[in-house]
């Protein structure tokens, strides 16, 4: 049953946001892993003061290579800033543009939810 639900959820996401998936803020040309990029945006949006690379690796289970790629993509696209802490660690924080993109991503998630569940009754 869960496999069927995931299949339909995937089809719905594709149908509802077919153009948004391919263009705009949701897909960066220099960053091939869209899911990793979206996840980092959502995490950073919840932490206005930013997070350190160690926090992202240990608390949010990021692989160092994935975090490095995602951070580079955010900085390259002017969505975040980094501040070195020492030779190995840095702090990453969303800037105004990054916050806007993260908010739009969350709105997109709400649209998918609305499209999926608006026809259900309270009991369903």
């Amino acid at each position: 049953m869960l496999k069927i639900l995931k299949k339909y959820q995937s089809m719905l996401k594709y149908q509802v946001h077919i153009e948004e998936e391919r263009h705009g803020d949701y897909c960066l040309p220099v960053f091939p892993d869209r899911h990793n990029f979206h996840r980092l945006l959502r995490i950073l949006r919840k932490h206005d003061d930013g997070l350190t690379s160690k926090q992202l690796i240990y608390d949010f289970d990021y692989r160092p290579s994935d975090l490095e790629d995602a951070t580079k993509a955010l900085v390259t696209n002017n969505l975040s800033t980094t501040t070195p802490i020492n030779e190995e660690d840095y702090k990453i924080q969303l800037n105004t543009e990054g916050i806007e993109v993260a908010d739009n991503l969350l709105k997109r998630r709400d649209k998918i939810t609305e499209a999926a569940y608006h026809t259900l009754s309270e009991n369903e």
Side-chain angles (χ1 to χ4, degrees):
M1 181 69 176
L2 187 59
K3 286 183 181 182
I4 294 171
L5 180 63
K6 286 184 178 186
K7 176 184 172 186
Y8 287 126
Q9 182 181 26
S10 177
M11 289 170 50
L12 178 66
K13 285 180 183 179
Y14 185 76
Q15 182 64 32
V16 172
H17 297 285
I18 193 165
E19 289 304 313
E20 290 180 3
E21 290 281 334
R22 295 181 179 152
H23 306 294
D25 297 331
Y26 307 110
C27 188
L28 297 178
V30 296
F31 192 64
D33 189 351
R34 182 178 69 236
H35 302 290
N36 193 15
F37 161 69
H38 289 174
R39 180 173 177 243
L40 184 57
L41 273 173
R42 287 190 307 268
I43 290 170
L44 290 174
R45 183 61 184 110
K46 293 178 184 176
H47 298 88
D48 292 333
D49 294 335
L51 293 168
T52 65
S53 54
K54 276 188 177 180
Q55 287 174 307
L56 288 163
I57 290 169
Y58 294 113
D59 297 343
F60 295 96
D61 201 27
Y62 260 95
R63 290 188 316 193
S65 60
D66 288 342
L67 180 59
E68 185 178 330
D69 291 344
T71 301
K72 184 178 179 180
L74 289 175
V75 171
T76 300
N77 287 281
N78 196 32
L79 300 176
S80 71
T81 57
T82 57
T83 307
I85 297 173
N86 58 40
E87 290 181 17
E88 297 176 7
D89 300 321
Y90 57 89
K91 183 177 182 178
I92 182 169
Q93 186 173 8
L94 292 178
N95 60 22
T96 306
E97 290 179 43
I99 290 171
E100 184 179 323
V101 169
D103 287 344
N104 288 338
L105 187 63
L106 293 172
K107 287 177 190 174
R108 176 179 158 252
R109 181 182 266 188
D110 291 342
K111 285 181 191 177
I112 292 171
T113 303
E114 177 64 26
Y117 301 112
H118 79 282
T119 59
L120 298 177
S121 69
E122 288 291 324
N123 293 333
E124 293 173 321

